[in-house]
Structure formats: structure tokens, C-alpha cells
Amino acid sequence: MDILSNLGEGFSVALDPVNLLFVLIGVVVGTAIGVLPGLGPTATIALLLPITYTMDPTASIIMLAGIYYGSMYGGTITSVLLRLPGEAASVVTTFDGYQMTKQGRAGAALGISAIGSFIGGTVAVIGLTFMAPALGKIALSMGPAGFVALMVMGLFLVTSLGTGSTIKSVCMAAVGLLLSTVGQDPVNGSARFTFGQAPLLGGLDFVAVAMGLFGVAELLRSLEQTEKAQVIKAKIKNIWPSRKDMKDSAGAIGRGSVLGFFIGILPGGGGVISSLASYALEKRRAKDPSRFGKGAIEGVAGPETANNASSTTAFIPLLVLGIPSNVVLAMIFGALLMHGITPGPRLMTDHSGLFWGVIASMYIGNLMLLILNIPLVGIFIQMLRVRQGILVAFSLLIVLIGVYSINNSSFDMWVVLAFGVLGWLMSKTGFDAGPLVLAFVLGPILEKSFRQSMLISGGSLDIFVTDPAAAIIFSLILAVIAIKAVTGFRRRRLAGAKASAHVPGAEEEGPQATFDGGDPAVLSATSSGSGEGAPAAQHADKQHSPTAR
């Protein structure tokens, strides 16, 4: 009954006319930016952060959440019609979705994607509704040492489970932790790493850092693209799948919902991993695996369902534990901090209206996406005709005005530009900005909890062994490290054995070798950037897009 009463409170918040309007705005904007290659939810939310500062906290989070899961729908459209994913999680959809378009079945592919996404998102929201209170009670029982372990686990999983280089991710996380210490010491008030600059006494502003690394950097990358406007030649008809399509896809949708739900709970899981895992599962279960990559509808339904389920479930570690599982949720985490609200176990009790309002808005948002997504496909496609130069100039103007308006500080404008150039250089050298931002957000909480633990234990590190929650979490981390080490050793030994035996293809360890049936160029793109909206996916697909031919 408590859950039903809480959910009733959430719907009373979400059905408020103002909040309902922001649900609609979020899902429409999310779908639109999912269609536009190169922008993605990360850059869009980074650009909108200053706007949310002036909004009601509940309305702002509802809108940002709608942009996030709405972008998962939008990325499907160009993946199916142009083999050009709007964001990284939709890369897998290109394998069979584009083949269905070539066979004149683009409508069925888009229809089953919308239906699967709706079911996966709804299943994930139901799971979120019932799982969140239980996890919240467990988290409330944790002391400072347990929170230190949680923060460390979040950083560890994000850097190790992501699809980029683990070493580079760890380096970026270390830089993020270092940047989070800039400013005044929270205990004694002494200045740290300010270099005599008064504006740095308050620390680096999260909005300025995020807008630079993702907003400005993404705009700079967009200017490098020389592709012309995309032209849709395929006629989209018969949007609703046939009975046979629904029958063939039913199992894939069910399995994708469950798989995406559990992968989304893990920090660092994300839509890319859930989509890849779902595609691999469906191909392994198929009676005729050779159909995959040639227009198998299960290859579209499963990954799209898992993708949307994981993006919804990812709100569990964010809202309940205070751990953003990817860089998009780190932006939403920062938006909450801007309003003086710290995500975590106490969010359900201290801000119950916001917590349950956001969850209830996801039920409504998924229904809106199902209703709007199919009829408006033609309108969203026309957005591809907008010139990059116009879009970049307008977005950069919004960035500079927005970041200045928060603190009325010209210093923040220089911070945005500096981190924009840094983010652009990082993308050139294969460094992902996601772990940096996640560590920057979690750094102050980690430091506060660690220093509280030291005060409680009298400066002894034994507290991380004697505290039950900390001991269990650190044991799990060590177990994962041991498993990864053993797996890596076996893989290297197998590769060495193949090389010594002169077996052809021994050098193809990685996504191309382990995930047969996919496009090696596209898969290698997903391995070069972690988190949602990784730009590398679009670069790899240039050679496959119709305009590149």
C-alpha cells in the first residue's frame, strides 16, 4: 500500500499541467536530438543546464529525464533509415534495421522499435517503482564508510565496464577527482589549487565544466563534419508491424526488457552494453543465426527494448544511491545539486514529491513517445536538413549566455571555452570525458564521507574492513578485479597460442571477433567511447552513410 500511495503522490505531481508540459517538451526534444547525429543527449542536457537553474526542481528533472529516454527513441530513426545512429546506443540497430529499409520494410522496423521501446521502458519503470524503496532502506542503514565504498564502486564500474580504454578512463577519473578539490577545504577553509585566483575559491562550476566538455567540444567536432544533408529515399509505409512480426519479436522484446533492466542498474552499464548484449543473446538463441545482419526483425526489437529499459533503470543508482551510472545522469545529478538537492537514500523522504513525480512522469513519457513517435517520423527526419554551421553558431551563443547568467561571471565563460577545447582535444586522442565528469561530481561526496570515516575511526583505515557494508562492497570490487585479471590472462595466452600456430585472424581479439554478425567498423566505434551519445559511433558510420558513397 505504501508503494501505491507513493505512486499516487507521484502521479498527482506529474499530472500537474506545468509538469505535464515539461514531460512533453522533454520527450519531443529528446527524440529530435536523437535524430540529429553528433549532438546527443549529453551535449543537449549540458546546453540546457543553465535554463533548468531558473525552473522548479521537479519540472527541470522531469524534462531532463524525458530528454534522456526520448533520445533513445530518436536515435532509432536515422539508424534504420540511413544507417547513421543518432547516438551510440543505437549503433546495434543499424545491423538489421537498415537492411529492413533496403528490403522496403522501414515501417515495420520503426514500428517494432517504438513498441519494444515502450514495453521495455514501462517494464523498467515498474521495476524501478518496486525496487527503489527497498534499496533506499538498505542505503539509509549505511554509515560514512559504506558511502565511501559506494562512491568507489561507482567510479570503478564506470571506468572498467565502459566500452573505452580502461587505463584512459582511470586517468580521466583521477583528473576529475583532482579538479573536484579546487577551492576551499570543506573542513578548515584553506585554499586549494586556486593559484591566487579569487574566482576559484568557490571551486570550478559544474555547469561551466560540463557545458565545455560536452556542449562546446561537441560543437567543435560538428564543425569538422563535411557531410551534406541526408536525403531519405525510402518510402515509409505500414508502420504497425504485422502479426508475424509481433510473434517473431515477442520473445526478443521480453528478454530485452529483463536484460536491459538488470544491466541498467550497474553503474557503467548503459545503453551500448545492453544493446550489444541483447543482440548477441538473440543471435545465439536463433534457429538460423545467418539471418542476423540481413534484416532479422528480432535484431531490431531486442536491442531497442534493452536500450530503453536500461536507460530508465539507470535512475535507480542515481536517485536511490546517489551514483550517476553514466555521463548523462551525471548531468542530471549536477542539475539536482544546483537546486540544493543531493540524490541519495534520503531523497525519497526529504523530497518525496520530486522522487515519485519523476518516476510517474516516466510512465506518462513512455506513453507519449509511443503516440507521438510514429506519426511525427517525417517531421523529425526533415531536421536533418538543418545546416551544421547554423546549429553550431546558435548553440554556442546559448552556451555563453547561459553560463554567464548563472553567476554573472565572465570567468565562467573562459572556463567553458577552456574545457571545450580540452574536450575536443581529448576526443582526438581517445580520452573519454565521461569518467572525468563523473569523478568531478562524486569527488566532494567521496571526500566528505572519507573524512567523516576517519574522524569516527580516529584516523584508522580499519573502519573500511570492520564496517559490514564497506567490507561487502570492497570485497565485490576485488572479486571483479580478480575475474577481469584471470579473463585477461587467458585471452592473452589464447592469442599468443594462435599467433605461434600461425592461425589466421589471431589478431582479431575484440568486438569484431567476439561479436560476429555485426559490422566491425561500427563495433570498433562503440569501443572507442563510453557512455551515452559517444561521438565515435558517428565517425565510423561516415563510410556507410548514403552520402559517403
Side-chain angles (χ1 to χ4, degrees):
M1 291 300 293
D2 288 340
I3 292 178
L4 293 178
S5 62
N6 289 332
L7 200 55
E9 178 188 2
F11 274 106
S12 68
V13 172
L15 291 174
D16 178 89
V18 174
N19 291 334
L20 203 58
L21 174 63
F22 280 108
V23 175
L24 178 62
I25 292 173
V27 297
V28 171
V29 171
T31 304
I33 61 100
V35 170
L36 292 172
L39 195 56
T42 305
T44 303
I45 291 177
L47 296 176
L48 292 177
L49 280 177
I51 298 176
T52 62
Y53 186 71
T54 60
M55 295 169 55
D56 175 76
T58 303
S60 65
I61 302 306
I62 283 175
M63 183 185 71
L64 295 180
I67 291 173
Y68 179 37
Y69 57 79
S71 67
M72 302 302 168
Y73 280 75
T76 306
I77 298 174
T78 48
S79 296
V80 170
L81 299 179
L82 293 172
R83 202 181 187 184
L84 189 65
E87 42 83 36
S90 297
V91 169
V92 183
T93 310
T94 63
F95 299 160
D96 287 277
Y98 184 63
Q99 294 298 322
M100 290 181 68
T101 297
K102 292 171 65 176
Q103 297 166 11
R105 304 189 63 217
L110 291 173
I112 202 66
S113 297
I115 294 171
S117 296
F118 169 74
I119 294 174
T122 303
V123 168
V125 177
I126 294 173
L128 173 60
T129 303
F130 287 92
M131 182 176 287
L135 285 178
K137 291 180 181 179
I138 296 174
L140 279 173
S141 64
M142 292 185 181
F147 271 98
V148 170
L150 269 179
M151 297 300 109
V152 172
M153 182 182 71
L155 290 172
F156 169 75
L157 290 176
V158 166
T159 54
S160 62
L161 294 183
T163 50
S165 167
T166 301
I167 295 177
K168 290 182 177 180
S169 296
V170 170
C171 291
M172 288 296 96
V175 172
L177 290 175
L178 178 63
L179 292 175
S180 70
T181 62
V182 173
Q184 290 182 304
D185 186 286
V187 176
N188 56 35
S190 61
R192 304 185 302 190
F193 305 112
T194 59
F195 305 102
Q197 298 293 320
L200 287 176
L201 286 174
L204 291 168
D205 187 77
F206 169 77
V207 176
V209 172
M211 291 178 73
L213 285 174
F214 297 104
V216 176
E218 193 60 53
L219 296 179
L220 292 175
R221 283 193 290 267
S222 298
L223 290 175
E224 296 178 318
Q225 298 179 10
T226 58
E227 295 173 312
K228 298 180 181 179
Q230 306 296 311
V231 179
I232 306 299
K233 296 181 179 180
K235 292 184 179 181
I236 304 172
K237 55 184 179 180
N238 300 325
I239 294 291
W240 290 105
S242 64
R243 287 187 178 181
K244 182 179 185 302
D245 290 334
M246 290 298 298
K247 181 179 179 181
D248 293 341
S249 304
I253 290 174
R255 289 184 290 271
S257 299
V258 176
L259 187 64
F261 177 82
F262 286 105
I263 291 178
I265 295 176
L266 297 174
V272 178
I273 294 178
S274 61
S275 297
L276 287 169
S278 175
Y279 191 88
L281 176 63
E282 295 309 315
K283 186 173 182 179
R284 190 176 299 118
R285 288 180 55 88
K287 295 180 180 179
D288 182 14
S290 64
R291 293 173 49 248
F292 283 74
K294 300 177 182 178
I297 196 167
E298 305 96 299
V300 176
E304 281 299 312
T305 304
N307 177 13
N308 281 269
S310 66
S311 65
T312 302
T313 313
F315 281 85
I316 291 179
L318 172 69
L319 299 177
V320 179
L321 303 177
I323 302 176
S325 57
N326 57 54
V327 67
V328 181
L329 293 178
M331 301 292 175
I332 299 177
F333 187 104
L336 285 167
L337 293 179
M338 286 168 54
H339 289 285
I341 300 172
T342 303
R346 301 198 63 85
L347 185 64
M348 277 184 287
T349 55
D350 295 346
H351 304 277
S352 61
L354 184 149
F355 181 88
W356 291 106
V358 170
I359 291 179
S361 73
M362 292 180 181
Y363 286 98
I364 301 171
N366 273 288
L367 183 59
M368 284 183 176
L369 283 167
L370 181 64
I371 296 172
L372 296 175
N373 209 43
I374 295 176
L376 298 180
V377 165
I379 296 175
F380 287 125
I381 286 299
Q382 296 305 314
M383 296 180 60
L384 290 169
R385 299 180 181 275
V386 178
R387 291 175 55 187
Q388 284 285 356
I390 297 175
L391 189 64
V392 168
F394 181 71
S395 300
L396 186 59
L397 180 63
I398 293 177
V399 167
L400 295 178
I401 293 175
V403 74
Y404 180 81
S405 65
I406 293 178
N407 298 317
N408 293 326
S409 170
S410 58
F411 179 81
D412 286 344
M413 297 176 70
W414 289 109
V415 172
V416 165
L417 295 175
F419 276 94
V421 174
L422 176 63
W424 176 71
L425 292 174
M426 287 166 57
S427 68
K428 290 289 187 182
T429 53
F431 285 89
D432 183 24
L436 188 155
V437 172
L438 288 166
F440 182 77
V441 168
L442 296 178
I445 303 174
L446 176 61
E447 180 185 10
K448 179 182 176 181
S449 299
F450 180 79
R451 295 177 77 162
Q452 287 176 342
S453 301
M454 291 297 95
L455 288 173
I456 293 173
S457 65
S460 174
L461 295 174
D462 292 345
I463 188 172
F464 299 111
V465 178
T466 56
D467 184 271
I472 292 173
I473 293 173
F474 280 122
S475 297
L476 290 174
I477 293 174
L478 291 175
V480 172
I481 292 175
I483 292 172
K484 286 176 68 69
V486 172
T487 303
F489 174 76
R490 288 180 176 177
R491 186 178 298 141
R492 287 192 298 270
R493 191 169 68 172
L494 179 62
K498 286 183 178 181
S500 62
H502 302 288
V503 177
E507 71 279 1
E508 294 192 29
E509 290 295 322
Q512 298 96 321
T514 59
F515 193 78
D516 56 295
D519 188 323
V522 177
L523 285 171
S524 64
T526 64
S527 67
S528 63
S530 63
E532 308 303 327
Q538 292 104 35
H539 299 317
D541 275 309
K542 288 180 183 178
Q543 59 184 316
H544 303 296
S545 66
T547 57
R549 291 195 176 104

